Amino acid sequence: MEQELKQFDVAQLAHVEIYTPVPEETVWFFKELLGMTEVEREGRSVYLRSYEDHYHHSLKVTERNEPGLGHVSWRASSKNALERRVKDLEKSGAGKGWIDGDLGHGAAYQFVTPDNHNMEILWDVDYYQCSDDKKSPLKSRPEKRPITGIPVRRIDHVNLMSSNVNRNKEHLMNDLGFKLREHVVKNDGDEIGAWLSVSPLVHELAYMEDATTSEQGLGRLHHLAFWYGFPQHLHDLSDVLTEHGIEIEAGPLKHGVSQALCMYVIEPGGNRIELFGDSGYLIFDPDWQPVKWNEDEVEQAIIHYGAPLPDSYFKYGTPNVKAPVKN
Amino acid sequence: MEQELKQFDVAQLAHVEIYTPVPEETVWFFKELLGMTEVEREGRSVYLRSYEDHYHHSLKVTERNEPGLGHVSWRASSKNALERRVKDLEKSGAGKGWIDGDLGHGAAYQFVTPDNHNMEILWDVDYYQCSDDKKSPLKSRPEKRPITGIPVRRIDHVNLMSSNVNRNKEHLMNDLGFKLREHVVKNDGDEIGAWLSVSPLVHELAYMEDATTSEQGLGRLHHLAFWYGFPQHLHDLSDVLTEHGIEIEAGPLKHGVSQALCMYVIEPGGNRIELFGDSGYLIFDPDWQPVKWNEDEVEQAIIHYGAPLPDSYFKYGTPNVKAPVKN
Amino acid sequence: MEQELKQFDVAQLAHVEIYTPVPEETVWFFKELLGMTEVEREGRSVYLRSYEDHYHHSLKVTERNEPGLGHVSWRASSKNALERRVKDLEKSGAGKGWIDGDLGHGAAYQFVTPDNHNMEILWDVDYYQCSDDKKSPLKSRPEKRPITGIPVRRIDHVNLMSSNVNRNKEHLMNDLGFKLREHVVKNDGDEIGAWLSVSPLVHELAYMEDATTSEQGLGRLHHLAFWYGFPQHLHDLSDVLTEHGIEIEAGPLKHGVSQALCMYVIEPGGNRIELFGDSGYLIFDPDWQPVKWNEDEVEQAIIHYGAPLPDSYFKYGTPNVKAPVKN
Amino acid sequence: MEQELKQFDVAQLAHVEIYTPVPEETVWFFKELLGMTEVEREGRSVYLRSYEDHYHHSLKVTERNEPGLGHVSWRASSKNALERRVKDLEKSGAGKGWIDGDLGHGAAYQFVTPDNHNMEILWDVDYYQCSDDKKSPLKSRPEKRPITGIPVRRIDHVNLMSSNVNRNKEHLMNDLGFKLREHVVKNDGDEIGAWLSVSPLVHELAYMEDATTSEQGLGRLHHLAFWYGFPQHLHDLSDVLTEHGIEIEAGPLKHGVSQALCMYVIEPGGNRIELFGDSGYLIFDPDWQPVKWNEDEVEQAIIHYGAPLPDSYFKYGTPNVKAPVKN
């Protein structure tokens, strides 16, 4: 039964920490253009959330000399589930140990992926409590929809660059119970990309091949995604970004993989942010067979319709390392 | 651990059977206006599906002298999960026994709710296989989007009228592991409505108080819902329905409960059909506390914005019994 | 040829002045929720515009003890056109005389409609000039799209309550060259409503029967409309209004007349504001025959789909006089 | 006054004829995917219309060995206006003479532009009369919205490739009273593109520089545009086109010029078709100063946001001549 339970032990993506060399500009971007709420500041970090994120924060922005991923935080389905996952992480050697917590949550167990992306898993979280004047009559919404910018509704997923998609994917499946939903596979069997989830979402995490890494994983971030749910908001945001000098790298476009209607933006600190403009499709079939796209279907997998992706999409990540390109 | 697993044992709403006295008109409505595909006919039944429903059918339309609910079919998360649920259904006395199957699925265990709604739970399903010319380049989509009508994407949920919301809710929670997501509660503690789910959806099933039932539950259908995901399609469909003489009972409107942007339509056979125009909100928090709307918040719960609901919404169900109204 | 030219002599609705007893709240509504820009203040008036209104202002909000219409301002197609219209206004007796101008425009000729609605016609206007940091890369847009509220794009039309729709309609057609686009006609030949325009828009002005007026026209405002062009923005605004305690009187809904997808809101000062969520239909046919809705088609004319209009829609206007109801 | 009237003498784009080597496929595209109605067939021509086009047809598809433009038909504002325009066309030497008419309209005066694009101007038109079962309760709509494909609402504009934008633009302004709304101008003063209209639309006709023409104009078609008015329909159509193997050349994207949210598609016969997904902006200012984009602003003029335009967009037209490229 423990094996049966594993696939349900991680409940969701709780929050992500990103680094930025220009915290004021990065925070301005998330607050003024994406309509996120600043919850708290401490040291070199600012804690932010979308208006339908329920916990203390879903985004932690930390000042650093280079942009990139701080860490990814997963919430377990229960205290027991957390213990089961920690046991497996310890066994596999990925585990690093417990921390007491951070603003917004209690004890968390830290681990590292084969590619050196820092992650943690936790149970104790603080719920966001807004002031009375910000309470929404929509009781399932923890705060009124902001009237600033084009406000994102919630955090959606993270996409990480990987020196070895297969190895990193296996780790998440074995230690954390993620399910493979879609993948793009080369003729030699290597995976170019893998989309994994613990819920009916197609992915809370994707791994994409990092053409510029050396053998040793570099822990780079491809993008962090926030969710709108409505296509018009991508158009609205595109208008706003263009008028405020923020680079739209690609989109609006629709992916074949995940059916995401989306766009990609480079925030002032250099990190790529995806905005998700519809719900994509949801997977309720408990016996879902991963969608496999072959090497000759890559284009179809990447673009169902809309803008082609620029070269930068396949090479640029943060930090923007100048490592030798493979092959 | 069996207790921990229970909440994951039912995976999804598999299909719903409805009755209609005018099968040709009802099937015309679902095929020509809602863009559903007819898969097969047998006896007095027509099997249909939406273009992103993965199984043989999600809707079975059966001829009968009166409209109403045939049965609701749930898919378990695994063969083991099915066995666990059957054991509990047998224990509680709700279970009726196994049937060999139907077109599109294998053995199913039938049971009845306290209010006499017929249900079944199953594992073995047939996947829909379209002809080559209907294959979509979107590999997660089992068939091209139809170019007829305003095609719905998938089945979403069912809403049943109940003589005793609390008793029926408890049954689903105890025997099938449903989680309570939202409810409307009268000052005397009785529930007017309860929204339950097994996934991040706010509901695959809702119970609403049936003001016209006698003590004995009448097994009436309030509505069956299909999902669009995009608000524009509600506008498109409204236009099409108005031009084809189909009654729009209410909407487009947005509920407080479930944040559904939706509309209600009476299909030619008399059953109420809901169309869901966005993704609502999704519940990923494993420790979700049910949203409780008090008696004095009913209006806010029902309408966040848009059309008020007509009186019929609270009284009409199928079959359209003329039972004495309570109180 | 003067007769041929007449229909082209008025080019557009330039601006509207409304009265409010609570100017701070009214201005807050237009600025914070509808995203309008405050251009200037003078005396008891605040001048505002939408981000795609090209002139100094499209809305003048003036403090008064009661809400209502200040005046409606039309821009002529040329200096010559202005002179031609003034000649006809003088001839018909509607003319009141020239004023030197106001903030944002030069000399204007004032006149009064049979129902005592104050209007003016002018040629000289000031164009809005934004500061460099507000310049949009979209050269046809006079200012960046605001990132506050759900910003309206431009002024659209005005709807006035009338003691005698026919007489008021004839005046605009005869003196100003308006064309009748649609009307609702009672069995006795009286008009309940008339929609008139000088451009391909279905209306820059509508007259609706005022059931509460005495014989003498009361110059009441039914509503002033601003334009979004996109349906989603009605949903966005509905959400925002509900959360900020602003009454949505009706909608989103779609009218049969004018095909407007729209909603109606009461601003804090008491005036009804319409938000127009698509482009409606445009009339390019130079030989357009007015669409006539008979008495038994009123419902169909008013609602193509969506919320029924509440009783207040047919009775309430500003000022909210308590005159005896006709019949 | 005749000079004053000239700008109002042409009322609208009435219809366009295109050539196709594969009429069955071309007609299938317009009927099944774009939801247009086939009105009549005669000889090698099929007459089609969108559901909100009021006349007999807005599109004539004629079989020919190569794709391209048949002719463009303008409707005058009145019989008098027609006479005035014919007089000027005769005077300028562009006029070719009267024809008796075609299916759907009476006498028309033919003329040719400096670049050899065939055009006509007319007054007498037949209105489309649908059968009773196709009548819409929307009285301003000449036919129910089709339930096939993603139906376009009306014809919008035509874009022609030109060996000399300036000369062709001047011709339309001088002989037909078109107004220049936007243009892109090279440093040497030559125009790369010009957008002209007779109504508040930014263009019923645009001229774009044809890099492949010789000195003598080749009368090529860049694209013909139909109008949706709603952004979602571009997404819906993109999905449908991708699934039916129709090439999407570009988009959805938003132009700087005209603020068009649009996409470009190559119909099976080879002609480029634009779909217009919102209303763009409308010009009501009678003293509108043409928006001028300089050579260094071309990119901004072409793309406000969304997909970059492929090289083919600037070179491909119909017929697909292999003339030497200038420079």
Side-chain angles (χ1 to χ4, degrees):
Chain A
M1 280 193 188
E2 194 158 323
Q3 202 53 30
E4 262 189 283
L5 268 171
K6 188 169 79 175
Q7 63 177 313
F8 306 114
D9 276 350
V10 177
Q12 66 176 137
L13 176 60
H15 62 259
V16 170
E17 180 189 26
I18 59 170
Y19 297 135
T20 172
V22 289
E24 282 315 303
E25 287 88 335
T26 293
V27 168
W28 166 83
F29 168 83
F30 285 109
K31 287 173 66 178
E32 300 303 315
L33 305 188
L34 299 198
M36 293 181 77
T37 305
E38 180 180 327
V39 184
E40 214 165 344
R41 293 192 177 219
E42 190 182 69
R44 302 193 150 197
S45 297
V46 182
Y47 298 78
L48 300 148
R49 47 180 289 290
S50 319
Y51 69 99
E52 289 197 351
D53 283 325
H54 290 273
Y55 307 147
H56 175 272
H57 66 278
S58 54
L59 175 65
K60 179 179 177 181
V61 173
T62 298
E63 184 173 5
R64 266 251 183 145
N65 59 336
E66 278 195 304
L69 177 73
H71 72 282
V72 176
S73 182
W74 304 103
R75 189 164 187 221
S77 292
S78 65
K79 226 172 159 55
N80 288 342
L82 175 59
E83 279 166 24
R84 284 190 295 266
R85 289 312 99 225
V86 169
K87 207 171 60 183
D88 280 354
L89 285 164
E90 281 172 341
K91 211 181 299 171
S92 76
K96 286 171 58 183
W98 290 90
I99 57 164
D100 285 344
D102 191 0
L103 286 184
H105 65 84
Y109 186 81
Q110 295 184 319
F111 62 97
V112 67
T113 68
D115 249 36
N116 290 317
H117 293 100
N118 291 311
M119 297 192 177
E120 69 184 19
I121 180 166
L122 48 74
W123 169 247
D124 283 325
V125 293
D126 296 341
Y127 286 81
Y128 175 72
Q129 303 294 343
C130 71
S131 54
D132 277 357
D133 63 310
K134 291 203 170 167
K135 283 221 167 88
S136 172
L138 267 182
K139 293 187 146 199
S140 55
R141 179 178 287 174
E143 176 192 30
K144 281 180 187 170
R145 174 195 163 116
I147 52 171
T148 302
I150 312 297
V152 292
R153 282 180 72 183
R154 62 166 168 76
I155 193 170
D156 192 76
H157 68 264
V158 67
N159 184 310
L160 305 178
M161 298 178 88
S162 168
S163 64
N164 185 321
V165 170
N166 189 267
R167 188 168 50 199
N168 281 274
K169 176 195 80 177
E170 295 283 337
H171 165 251
L172 279 193
M173 295 174 74
N174 292 336
D175 281 13
L176 295 173
F178 275 75
K179 284 162 272 190
L180 177 64
R181 302 312 202 165
E182 305 204 21
H183 55 160
V184 184
V185 184
K186 285 192 280 198
N187 293 341
D188 64 10
D190 276 5
E191 287 168 307
I192 301 173
W195 286 258
L196 300 139
S197 76
V198 291
S199 79
L201 295 180
V202 176
H203 60 320
E204 286 98 12
L205 185 142
Y207 280 120
M208 262 178 62
E209 197 182 39
D210 188 342
T212 55
T213 54
S214 57
E215 274 308 296
Q216 193 186 348
L218 293 168
R220 298 170 81 202
L221 172 68
H222 191 269
H223 66 259
L224 169 62
F226 289 90
W227 189 74
Y228 280 120
F230 296 103
Q232 179 67 46
H233 296 151
L234 297 187
H235 295 292
D236 294 348
L237 184 68
S238 293
D239 212 1
V240 162
L241 293 175
T242 300
E243 293 193 326
H244 288 81
I246 300 294
E247 184 194 348
I248 299 174
E249 188 189 33
L253 59 85
K254 187 173 176 110
H255 288 304
V257 170
S258 86
Q259 296 194 25
L261 188 63
C262 64
M263 57 187 288
Y264 296 95
V265 180
I266 308 300
E267 58 88 13
N271 297 294
R272 185 186 285 106
I273 304 297
E274 180 182 2
L275 290 313
F276 208 104
D278 66 358
S279 55
Y281 73 97
L282 297 174
I283 299 174
F284 297 110
D285 179 1
D287 199 25
W288 180 260
Q289 298 308 306
V291 173
K292 184 183 170 193
W293 306 81
N294 297 316
E295 193 165 336
D296 62 346
E297 298 166 325
V298 171
E299 273 183 50
Q300 177 184 339
I302 292 170
I303 303 289
H304 179 58
Y305 67 74
L309 289 170
D311 207 43
S312 62
Y313 185 82
F314 301 97
K315 293 185 179 155
Y316 178 78
T318 47
N320 188 17
V321 291
K322 305 294 184 203
V325 175
K326 282 196 288 190
N327 306 336
Chain B
M1 278 193 190
E2 195 158 321
Q3 201 54 29
E4 262 189 284
L5 268 170
K6 188 168 79 174
Q7 64 178 312
F8 305 115
D9 276 350
V10 177
Q12 66 177 135
L13 175 60
H15 62 258
V16 169
E17 181 189 25
I18 59 170
Y19 297 135
T20 173
V22 290
E24 282 316 302
E25 288 87 335
T26 293
V27 168
W28 165 84
F29 168 83
F30 285 110
K31 286 173 67 178
E32 299 304 315
L33 304 188
L34 298 198
M36 293 181 77
T37 305
E38 179 180 327
V39 184
E40 217 165 341
R41 291 188 179 225
E42 192 182 67
R44 302 191 150 199
S45 296
V46 183
Y47 298 78
L48 300 149
R49 47 181 287 292
S50 320
Y51 69 99
E52 290 197 351
D53 282 325
H54 290 273
Y55 307 147
H56 175 271
H57 66 277
S58 54
L59 176 65
K60 180 179 178 180
V61 172
T62 298
E63 184 174 4
R64 268 250 182 145
N65 58 339
E66 279 195 303
L69 177 75
H71 72 280
V72 177
S73 182
W74 303 103
R75 189 163 188 223
S77 292
S78 66
K79 226 173 160 52
N80 288 342
L82 175 59
E83 280 166 24
R84 284 190 294 268
R85 288 311 99 225
V86 169
K87 207 171 58 182
D88 281 354
L89 285 163
E90 281 172 342
K91 210 182 300 172
S92 77
K96 286 172 56 184
W98 289 91
I99 57 165
D100 283 346
D102 190 0
L103 286 184
H105 65 84
Y109 186 81
Q110 294 184 319
F111 60 97
V112 67
T113 67
D115 248 38
N116 290 317
H117 293 100
N118 291 313
M119 298 193 177
E120 70 185 18
I121 180 166
L122 49 75
W123 169 248
D124 282 326
V125 292
D126 295 342
Y127 286 81
Y128 175 71
Q129 302 295 344
C130 71
S131 55
D132 277 358
D133 63 310
K134 291 202 170 169
K135 283 223 166 86
S136 171
L138 267 181
K139 294 187 144 197
S140 56
R141 179 178 288 173
E143 177 192 29
K144 282 179 188 170
R145 175 196 162 114
I147 52 171
T148 302
I150 312 297
V152 291
R153 282 178 74 183
R154 62 166 169 78
I155 193 170
D156 193 74
H157 68 264
V158 67
N159 183 312
L160 305 177
M161 297 177 90
S162 169
S163 64
N164 185 322
V165 171
N166 190 266
R167 188 168 52 199
N168 282 275
K169 176 196 80 175
E170 295 282 337
H171 164 250
L172 279 193
M173 295 173 76
N174 293 336
D175 280 13
L176 294 172
F178 275 73
K179 284 161 273 190
L180 177 64
R181 302 315 203 164
E182 303 204 22
H183 55 162
V184 183
V185 184
K186 286 193 277 198
N187 292 340
D188 64 9
D190 276 4
E191 286 168 308
I192 302 173
W195 287 258
L196 301 139
S197 77
V198 291
S199 79
L201 295 180
V202 176
H203 60 320
E204 286 98 11
L205 184 142
Y207 279 120
M208 262 178 62
E209 197 183 40
D210 188 341
T212 54
T213 54
S214 57
E215 274 309 295
Q216 193 185 347
L218 294 166
R220 298 170 82 203
L221 172 67
H222 190 269
H223 66 259
L224 169 62
F226 289 90
W227 189 74
Y228 280 120
F230 296 102
Q232 180 66 47
H233 296 153
L234 297 188
H235 295 292
D236 294 348
L237 183 68
S238 294
D239 212 0
V240 163
L241 293 176
T242 299
E243 293 193 326
H244 288 81
I246 301 293
E247 183 194 349
I248 299 174
E249 187 188 33
L253 59 86
K254 188 173 177 109
H255 287 304
V257 169
S258 86
Q259 296 194 25
L261 188 63
C262 64
M263 56 188 287
Y264 296 95
V265 180
I266 308 299
E267 57 87 14
N271 297 295
R272 184 186 285 106
I273 305 297
E274 180 182 4
L275 290 313
F276 208 105
D278 66 358
S279 56
Y281 72 98
L282 297 173
I283 299 174
F284 298 109
D285 178 0
D287 199 25
W288 181 259
Q289 299 307 306
V291 172
K292 185 182 170 194
W293 306 81
N294 296 316
E295 194 164 335
D296 62 346
E297 297 166 325
V298 171
E299 273 183 50
Q300 177 184 340
I302 291 170
I303 302 290
H304 180 57
Y305 68 74
L309 289 170
D311 207 42
S312 62
Y313 185 82
F314 301 97
K315 293 188 179 152
Y316 178 77
T318 47
N320 187 17
V321 293
K322 306 292 184 207
V325 174
K326 281 194 290 190
N327 305 336
Chain C
M1 278 191 189
E2 195 157 321
Q3 202 53 30
E4 262 188 283
L5 268 170
K6 188 168 81 175
Q7 64 179 311
F8 305 115
D9 277 350
V10 177
Q12 67 177 133
L13 175 60
H15 62 258
V16 169
E17 180 189 25
I18 58 170
Y19 296 135
T20 173
V22 289
E24 282 316 302
E25 287 87 335
T26 293
V27 168
W28 166 83
F29 168 82
F30 285 110
K31 288 172 67 177
E32 299 305 314
L33 303 188
L34 298 198
M36 294 182 77
T37 305
E38 180 181 326
V39 184
E40 218 164 343
R41 291 190 178 221
E42 192 183 67
R44 301 191 150 200
S45 296
V46 183
Y47 297 78
L48 300 148
R49 46 180 288 291
S50 319
Y51 69 98
E52 289 197 350
D53 283 324
H54 290 273
Y55 307 147
H56 176 272
H57 66 278
S58 54
L59 176 64
K60 180 180 177 181
V61 173
T62 297
E63 185 174 3
R64 267 249 185 146
N65 59 338
E66 278 195 304
L69 177 74
H71 72 280
V72 177
S73 181
W74 303 103
R75 190 166 186 219
S77 292
S78 65
K79 226 173 159 54
N80 287 341
L82 174 59
E83 280 166 21
R84 283 191 294 268
R85 288 312 98 224
V86 168
K87 209 171 56 182
D88 281 355
L89 285 164
E90 281 172 340
K91 212 182 298 172
S92 76
K96 287 171 57 183
W98 290 92
I99 56 164
D100 283 347
D102 189 0
L103 286 184
H105 65 84
Y109 185 82
Q110 294 183 319
F111 61 97
V112 67
T113 67
D115 248 37
N116 290 318
H117 294 99
N118 291 312
M119 298 193 177
E120 70 184 17
I121 180 166
L122 49 74
W123 168 247
D124 283 325
V125 293
D126 295 342
Y127 286 81
Y128 175 71
Q129 302 295 343
C130 71
S131 54
D132 278 358
D133 64 309
K134 290 202 170 168
K135 283 221 167 88
S136 171
L138 267 182
K139 293 186 145 198
S140 55
R141 179 178 287 174
E143 176 191 31
K144 282 180 188 169
R145 174 195 164 115
I147 52 171
T148 302
I150 312 297
V152 292
R153 281 179 73 182
R154 62 165 169 77
I155 193 169
D156 193 74
H157 68 264
V158 67
N159 184 312
L160 306 178
M161 297 179 88
S162 168
S163 63
N164 184 322
V165 171
N166 188 267
R167 188 167 52 198
N168 281 276
K169 175 196 80 176
E170 295 283 338
H171 166 250
L172 279 193
M173 295 174 75
N174 293 336
D175 281 13
L176 294 174
F178 275 75
K179 284 162 272 191
L180 176 64
R181 301 315 202 162
E182 304 204 22
H183 56 161
V184 183
V185 184
K186 285 191 280 198
N187 294 340
D188 64 9
D190 276 4
E191 287 168 308
I192 302 173
W195 287 258
L196 301 140
S197 77
V198 291
S199 79
L201 295 180
V202 176
H203 60 319
E204 286 98 11
L205 185 142
Y207 279 120
M208 261 179 63
E209 197 183 40
D210 188 341
T212 54
T213 55
S214 57
E215 273 309 296
Q216 191 186 349
L218 294 168
R220 297 170 83 203
L221 172 69
H222 190 269
H223 66 260
L224 169 62
F226 289 89
W227 188 74
Y228 280 120
F230 296 102
Q232 180 68 47
H233 296 151
L234 297 188
H235 295 292
D236 294 347
L237 184 67
S238 293
D239 212 1
V240 163
L241 293 176
T242 299
E243 293 193 327
H244 288 82
I246 300 294
E247 184 195 347
I248 299 173
E249 187 189 33
L253 59 86
K254 188 173 175 109
H255 288 303
V257 170
S258 86
Q259 296 194 23
L261 188 63
C262 64
M263 57 188 286
Y264 295 95
V265 180
I266 309 298
E267 57 88 15
N271 297 293
R272 184 186 285 107
I273 304 297
E274 179 182 3
L275 290 313
F276 207 105
D278 67 358
S279 56
Y281 73 97
L282 297 174
I283 299 174
F284 297 110
D285 179 1
D287 199 25
W288 180 259
Q289 299 307 306
V291 172
K292 185 184 169 193
W293 306 81
N294 297 317
E295 194 165 335
D296 63 347
E297 297 166 326
V298 170
E299 273 184 49
Q300 178 184 339
I302 290 170
I303 303 289
H304 179 57
Y305 66 75
L309 289 169
D311 206 43
S312 62
Y313 185 82
F314 301 97
K315 294 187 180 154
Y316 177 78
T318 48
N320 187 17
V321 291
K322 305 292 184 205
V325 175
K326 281 196 288 190
N327 306 336
Chain D
M1 279 192 189
E2 194 158 321
Q3 202 53 32
E4 263 188 284
L5 268 170
K6 188 167 79 174
Q7 65 178 312
F8 304 115
D9 277 351
V10 177
Q12 66 177 136
L13 175 61
H15 62 258
V16 169
E17 180 188 26
I18 59 169
Y19 297 136
T20 173
V22 289
E24 282 317 303
E25 288 88 335
T26 293
V27 168
W28 166 83
F29 169 83
F30 285 110
K31 286 173 65 178
E32 299 304 314
L33 304 188
L34 299 198
M36 293 181 77
T37 305
E38 180 180 326
V39 184
E40 216 165 343
R41 291 190 178 222
E42 192 181 68
R44 302 192 149 198
S45 296
V46 182
Y47 298 77
L48 300 148
R49 47 181 288 292
S50 319
Y51 69 99
E52 290 197 351
D53 283 325
H54 290 273
Y55 307 147
H56 175 271
H57 66 277
S58 55
L59 176 64
K60 180 179 178 181
V61 172
T62 297
E63 183 174 6
R64 267 249 183 145
N65 58 339
E66 279 195 304
L69 177 74
H71 72 280
V72 177
S73 182
W74 303 103
R75 189 163 188 223
S77 293
S78 65
K79 225 172 159 55
N80 288 342
L82 175 59
E83 280 165 24
R84 283 191 294 267
R85 288 313 97 224
V86 168
K87 207 171 58 182
D88 281 353
L89 285 164
E90 280 172 342
K91 211 181 301 171
S92 77
K96 287 171 58 182
W98 289 91
I99 57 164
D100 284 345
D102 190 0
L103 285 183
H105 65 84
Y109 185 81
Q110 295 184 318
F111 61 98
V112 67
T113 67
D115 249 37
N116 289 317
H117 292 100
N118 291 311
M119 297 193 177
E120 69 185 17
I121 181 167
L122 49 74
W123 169 247
D124 282 326
V125 293
D126 295 343
Y127 286 81
Y128 175 72
Q129 303 295 345
C130 71
S131 54
D132 277 359
D133 63 309
K134 290 202 170 170
K135 283 222 168 87
S136 171
L138 266 182
K139 294 186 144 199
S140 55
R141 179 178 287 174
E143 176 191 30
K144 281 179 188 170
R145 175 195 162 114
I147 53 171
T148 302
I150 312 297
V152 291
R153 282 180 71 183
R154 63 165 168 78
I155 193 169
D156 192 75
H157 68 264
V158 66
N159 184 312
L160 306 177
M161 297 178 90
S162 168
S163 64
N164 185 323
V165 171
N166 189 265
R167 188 167 52 199
N168 281 275
K169 175 196 80 177
E170 295 282 337
H171 164 250
L172 279 193
M173 295 173 74
N174 293 335
D175 280 12
L176 294 173
F178 275 75
K179 283 161 274 190
L180 177 64
R181 302 315 203 163
E182 303 204 22
H183 56 162
V184 183
V185 184
K186 285 192 277 198
N187 293 340
D188 64 10
D190 277 5
E191 286 168 309
I192 302 173
W195 287 258
L196 300 139
S197 77
V198 292
S199 79
L201 294 180
V202 176
H203 60 319
E204 287 98 11
L205 185 142
Y207 279 121
M208 263 179 61
E209 197 183 41
D210 188 341
T212 55
T213 54
S214 57
E215 275 310 295
Q216 194 187 345
L218 294 167
R220 298 170 81 202
L221 173 67
H222 191 268
H223 67 259
L224 169 62
F226 289 90
W227 189 74
Y228 279 119
F230 295 102
Q232 180 68 46
H233 296 153
L234 297 188
H235 295 292
D236 293 347
L237 184 67
S238 293
D239 212 1
V240 163
L241 294 175
T242 299
E243 294 192 326
H244 287 81
I246 301 294
E247 183 193 349
I248 299 173
E249 187 189 32
L253 59 85
K254 187 173 177 108
H255 287 304
V257 169
S258 86
Q259 296 194 25
L261 188 63
C262 63
M263 56 187 288
Y264 295 96
V265 180
I266 308 300
E267 57 88 14
N271 297 294
R272 184 187 285 106
I273 304 297
E274 180 182 2
L275 290 313
F276 209 105
D278 67 358
S279 57
Y281 73 98
L282 297 173
I283 299 174
F284 297 110
D285 179 1
D287 199 25
W288 180 259
Q289 299 307 306
V291 172
K292 185 182 170 195
W293 305 81
N294 297 317
E295 194 165 334
D296 62 346
E297 297 166 326
V298 171
E299 272 184 51
Q300 177 184 339
I302 292 170
I303 303 290
H304 179 57
Y305 68 74
L309 289 169
D311 207 42
S312 62
Y313 185 82
F314 302 97
K315 293 186 179 152
Y316 178 77
T318 48
N320 187 15
V321 293
K322 306 292 185 204
V325 175
K326 281 195 290 190
N327 306 337

